[in-house]
Amino acid sequence: MSTHVRALFVALSIMLGVTTAPSAAQEIQERVIRFGHLNNPDHPVSMGVKKFAELVAVKSGGKLQVKEFPSNQLGTEQQQTSALQGGVQEMQAPATTSLVGIVKDYGVIDFPFTVANHAQAFALLDGPLGTTLLEKLPEKGLVGLAYWDLGFRNVTNSKRPIAKPEDLEGLKLRVIPNPVFLDTFKAFKSNPVPMSFSELYTALETRTVDGQENPYAVILSNKFYEVQKFLSGTNHVYGTNIILISRKFWDRLSPAEQKILQDAALEARDYQRQVSRAAAEKAVGELQAKGMQFNAVAPAEQQRMREIAKPVTEKALASYDPAIQKLYATEIERVQKLR
């Protein structure tokens, strides 16, 4: 159809009161989406963001461009979340631990020793509990698109291997500023110190704290092996990153644009989870090669840790809405059958 004929067709349609739905291509505008996170460019979360950007570019015909800002370039996780709520930043991939101050119910994901493997963790997040939590975000100015893998958290320190609960006694450990994390390590008679991640390396280097706890890939990516000697496979908490988008930005998008971002986030999730699990397995060997002394925690001792931490979970869960308590209990029972 020539330009002249198309113009006549449009004019005639207007005269006759006929409207035509715009094509998907017309519903996609050129936009730059700033995507921030705290991890370094070699971390699996960053790899997931890069995959997400590729998928979005392909699905939008190059009109939607995702620009990554790793390593806290746009501020701390809390600062970036506030920026999303204010509509001055488009996307972010924070750990769900940092959302507890906004949506308290996200704290149930941080309960210690609730899932034993990735199959259980993914089933919990992708099932009714994870979906229910996502539904609580829009009223807070946020939209959640997917849960990505951060991995199981493990303890490092500069004093001794952690092979049993008693080995945690007296250690000054940096933890996420989160009540469940604080109470868990207090139960182990440690001295937990809430601290921003951006301050952690220096605190370890200066021995302000004895140790910390994070997934293997985070420990490797941030070179904690330079300032920590002992790495212990405690696997005490499963961590996940949530893909967030500003509600203000989301509401300005067309349905076609929203679908592109949602689909890309889920596709990138499957890729990122594979990359993250592989990176975690590889990281242990690399950390040992760089001088860290690694030890696994025997199942019997891990069970003892689980029993010590159980009252923390029960106390915390009791403070939640009864509907969340019931859903959490039902879902944990369901997923713990998975191996």
Side-chain angles (χ1 to χ4, degrees):
M1 185 185 292
S2 69
T3 303
H4 179 66
V5 173
R6 185 182 294 111
L8 287 175
F9 177 79
V10 171
L12 182 60
S13 296
I14 293 172
M15 288 173 60
L16 296 175
V18 177
T19 58
T20 56
S23 67
Q26 291 172 317
E27 291 180 5
I28 303 170
Q29 299 181 29
E30 291 191 358
R31 303 180 190 272
V32 175
I33 300 169
R34 290 163 297 171
F35 196 139
H37 59 90
L38 69 75
N39 300 103
N40 293 330
D42 63 346
H43 188 274
V45 166
S46 181
M47 297 176 195
V49 175
K50 292 179 178 66
K51 172 60 73 172
F52 173 76
E54 292 174 8
L55 291 167
V56 168
V58 170
K59 292 175 183 294
S60 68
K63 288 187 175 182
L64 299 180
Q65 297 181 37
V66 177
K67 187 173 183 181
E68 180 188 18
F69 291 86
S71 309
N72 275 337
Q73 290 178 21
L74 299 180
T76 65
E77 285 193 331
Q78 289 79 6
Q79 289 169 336
Q80 291 190 49
T81 302
S82 294
L84 262 66
Q85 291 174 304
V88 296
Q89 179 179 326
E90 291 77 33
M91 293 190 70
Q92 181 196 16
T96 54
T97 47
S98 70
L99 288 181
V100 175
I102 299 172
V103 176
K104 178 186 175 181
D105 294 341
Y106 266 100
V108 300
I109 294 177
D110 304 322
F111 289 170
F113 301 105
T114 53
V115 293
N117 55 55
H118 282 89
Q120 294 179 4
F122 297 160
L124 187 67
L125 294 168
D126 299 340
L129 179 64
T131 300
T132 297
L133 295 177
L134 290 178
E135 291 170 352
K136 295 176 179 290
L137 291 171
E139 66 184 40
K140 303 296 185 180
L142 304 166
V143 174
L145 301 183
Y147 296 103
W148 289 4
D149 182 67
L150 184 55
F152 284 91
R153 304 180 75 90
N154 300 278
V155 173
T156 71
N157 78 99
S158 57
K159 292 196 169 181
R160 56 180 174 267
I162 308 302
K164 57 186 184 298
E166 291 77 11
D167 294 330
L168 288 163
E169 291 184 15
L171 286 180
K172 187 180 287 187
L173 297 174
R174 177 269 178 181
V175 299
I176 290 173
N178 175 299
V180 172
F181 278 69
L182 288 165
D183 289 347
T184 297
F185 283 96
K186 284 177 182 176
F188 289 122
K189 299 181 181 179
S190 301
N191 181 11
V193 180
M195 180 186 296
S196 170
F197 185 81
S198 59
E199 303 170 18
L200 179 52
Y201 184 94
T202 300
L204 295 170
E205 185 177 34
T206 58
R207 300 295 177 91
T208 302
V209 293
D210 300 317
Q212 60 86 52
E213 45 84 49
N214 260 300
Y216 294 132
V218 174
I219 295 167
L220 178 63
S221 179
N222 289 275
K223 301 183 178 180
F224 291 158
Y225 54 81
E226 295 178 343
V227 289
Q228 297 276 269
K229 182 177 180 180
F230 301 101
L231 170 64
S232 302
T234 50
N235 285 340
H236 53 277
V237 169
Y238 175 77
T240 181
N241 288 84
I242 183 170
I243 307 310
L244 294 180
I245 189 164
S246 164
R247 168 82 186 269
K248 289 185 176 180
F249 176 68
W250 180 258
D251 287 347
R252 294 200 302 269
L253 299 176
S254 69
E257 291 170 328
Q258 291 178 349
K259 187 175 189 306
I260 286 170
L261 295 179
Q262 179 67 80
D263 290 350
L266 293 174
E267 286 185 47
R269 175 198 68 188
D270 297 339
Y271 165 83
Q272 191 274 340
R273 285 176 174 178
Q274 290 180 346
V275 168
S276 184
R277 293 181 66 180
E281 294 172 6
K282 185 179 179 183
V284 175
E286 292 187 29
L287 289 166
Q288 287 177 288
K290 293 182 181 298
M292 292 196 83
Q293 181 178 318
F294 172 76
N295 72 284
V297 177
E301 295 300 335
Q302 198 164 48
Q303 180 59 34
R304 289 184 61 217
M305 290 182 176
R306 183 176 288 106
E307 291 301 319
I308 292 171
K310 188 175 181 180
V312 173
T313 298
E314 292 175 344
K315 175 187 173 184
L317 188 60
S319 69
Y320 286 80
D321 180 87
I324 286 293
Q325 292 185 42
K326 183 177 180 180
L327 178 60
Y328 175 80
T330 300
E331 282 297 282
I332 288 297
E333 183 179 1
R334 176 179 70 86
V335 305
Q336 284 184 344
K337 297 174 182 176
L338 302 175
R339 290 290 179 264

